[in-house]
Amino acid sequence: MISTKIKKLRNKFNIYKIDGYVIPKNDSYFNEYSSPDRLKFISNFDGSAGLAIILKKKNYLFVDGRYTIQAKSQCGTYFHIVEIHKKLPWEVLKRGVKIGYNPYCFTSLSLARYFKNYFKLVPIYDDLIIKKKSRKVDNKFYFIEDHISGESAKSKINKVLKYLREDKSDCLFITAPENVAWLLNLRGKDNPHSPIPNCRLILKSNGKKYLFTNKSKIQHLLKNKNLLNTKLIDENKIDNFLKVLSSRKIILDRLSCSLAYENILKNKI
């Protein structure tokens, strides 16, 4: 089964003119418990951290020391297991190979760490691993009370707005769901072990908010005070929205902002 999936992926290399393809554990929200779990799909490895690189004739799975035995057991037949704290991909791969990647699942910082500038990295916006499927959504979002969070969302937002105005920035682009959760006192069920709501937020210096998520998760909360001046936008429309903002001064977190979004804001795509 693993060999069949790897073969199907390799069959696409000539189409995209690449020598290999890198698959992270995380999804586009950079969650540890990713959905879909592309790494598990291609390798059968189900640890919480890892990185696979499929080449034309060889495969590597990079894991930390917690998972070496598990990785060898689950996919050692098909992958060379490398302890990533001992050797990073740029120290293992042959220089000059062209590596394809999903720009929604990597940041500019993570790619620099894994590959430095020794390889030609090819962004591929089509998902080569798993085709998207529409799913019924049951994991509704919810708000926690101010006395539980310790501070109201209004108070937190006002502090951020004060900074935006002092910095003369047009808006803040919050890409990490846990940061949106903190700011709005919002919670969800998109992570099996933490109350994470998969969403992203743009907060403009005038106080307007744009929340990007699956609308069915939050429409029942539209009248909540924490969503005042908030426009809900389907998460699949975020690319087009960012193109409108590309000429503005925007603050973003490069640790959690995908390279795809960063490039849109820089007018590179």
Side-chain angles (χ1 to χ4, degrees):
M1 189 68 172
I2 297 177
S3 60
T4 301
K5 293 174 181 178
I6 291 173
K7 183 178 180 181
K8 286 182 178 179
L9 176 59
R10 284 176 173 161
N11 288 339
K12 300 174 184 177
F13 285 6
N14 288 335
I15 299 174
Y16 294 96
K17 298 179 180 180
I18 56 177
D19 303 306
Y21 190 75
V22 56
I23 303 120
K25 171 64 179 182
N26 60 272
D27 57 17
S28 62
Y29 283 102
F30 296 93
N31 285 333
E32 179 180 355
Y33 298 93
S34 55
S35 178
D37 191 337
R38 298 174 179 85
L39 184 60
K40 181 180 179 181
F41 177 85
I42 200 69
S43 68
N44 199 44
F45 172 71
D46 60 3
S48 63
L51 182 83
I53 298 177
I54 310 296
L55 301 172
K56 291 180 178 179
K57 295 183 178 181
K58 188 178 291 187
N59 311 309
Y60 292 97
L61 178 64
F62 294 83
V63 297
D64 62 51
R66 296 172 296 170
Y67 293 120
T68 51
I69 296 175
Q70 177 182 340
K72 289 175 182 178
S73 174
Q74 292 181 328
C75 55
T77 303
Y78 301 97
F79 288 82
H80 294 272
I81 310 301
V82 181
E83 293 185 59
I84 198 166
H85 56 287
K86 294 181 179 179
K87 285 189 176 181
L88 290 164
W90 66 267
E91 298 175 278
V92 175
L93 301 181
K94 182 180 179 180
R95 301 290 171 84
V97 296
K98 293 182 179 180
I99 304 293
Y101 69 96
N102 184 336
Y104 290 99
C105 296
F106 290 91
T107 66
S108 57
L109 296 178
S110 65
L111 286 175
R113 176 174 180 261
Y114 294 141
F115 300 105
K116 290 201 169 182
N117 59 348
Y118 299 139
F119 307 92
K120 172 67 175 178
L121 299 178
V122 181
I124 299 174
Y125 290 84
D126 299 323
D127 195 333
L128 301 191
I129 306 299
I130 297 178
K131 292 183 178 180
K132 291 183 179 180
K133 297 179 181 180
S134 58
R135 297 180 301 169
K136 183 179 178 181
V137 177
D138 295 319
N139 46 342
K140 304 287 186 180
F141 292 170
Y142 59 96
F143 286 105
I144 58 174
E145 297 294 333
D146 295 347
H147 70 275
I148 295 176
S149 68
E151 186 176 4
S152 70
K154 182 179 180 180
S155 173
K156 296 175 184 178
I157 290 169
N158 285 337
K159 289 179 180 178
V160 177
L161 290 175
K162 183 175 183 293
Y163 176 84
L164 283 174
R165 291 160 185 164
E166 290 176 350
D167 189 60
K168 296 182 180 179
S169 293
D170 295 303
C171 56
L172 170 66
F173 182 26
I174 307 174
T175 49
E178 59 269 24
N179 291 339
V180 180
W182 175 84
L183 184 67
L184 299 182
N185 287 338
L186 182 66
R187 300 294 186 267
K189 302 175 183 177
D190 291 314
N191 186 304
H193 304 295
S194 299
I196 299 296
N198 277 352
C199 57
R200 302 177 179 93
L201 181 76
I202 289 176
L203 175 62
K204 299 185 73 173
S205 58
N206 62 7
K208 289 185 178 179
K209 302 187 293 292
Y210 299 87
L211 186 64
F212 301 87
T213 189
N214 185 320
K215 288 184 178 181
S216 63
K217 296 180 182 180
I218 197 170
Q219 281 181 326
H220 62 292
L221 299 174
L222 282 177
K223 295 182 179 180
N224 188 282
K225 62 180 180 179
N226 293 354
L227 291 181
L228 289 175
N229 295 319
T230 302
K231 183 174 181 179
L232 298 182
I233 302 176
D234 190 274
E235 58 189 342
N236 295 324
K237 297 181 180 179
I238 191 169
D239 288 21
N240 291 332
F241 192 92
L242 292 179
K243 290 176 182 177
V244 178
L245 295 176
S246 60
S247 61
R248 311 286 181 85
K249 185 179 179 182
I250 302 170
I251 298 175
L252 55 85
D253 186 349
R254 294 180 68 206
L255 289 172
S256 60
C257 182
S258 72
L259 186 58
Y261 296 149
E262 194 173 329
N263 284 340
I264 291 173
L265 292 171
K266 291 180 179 178
N267 276 317
K268 289 187 176 181
I269 57 174

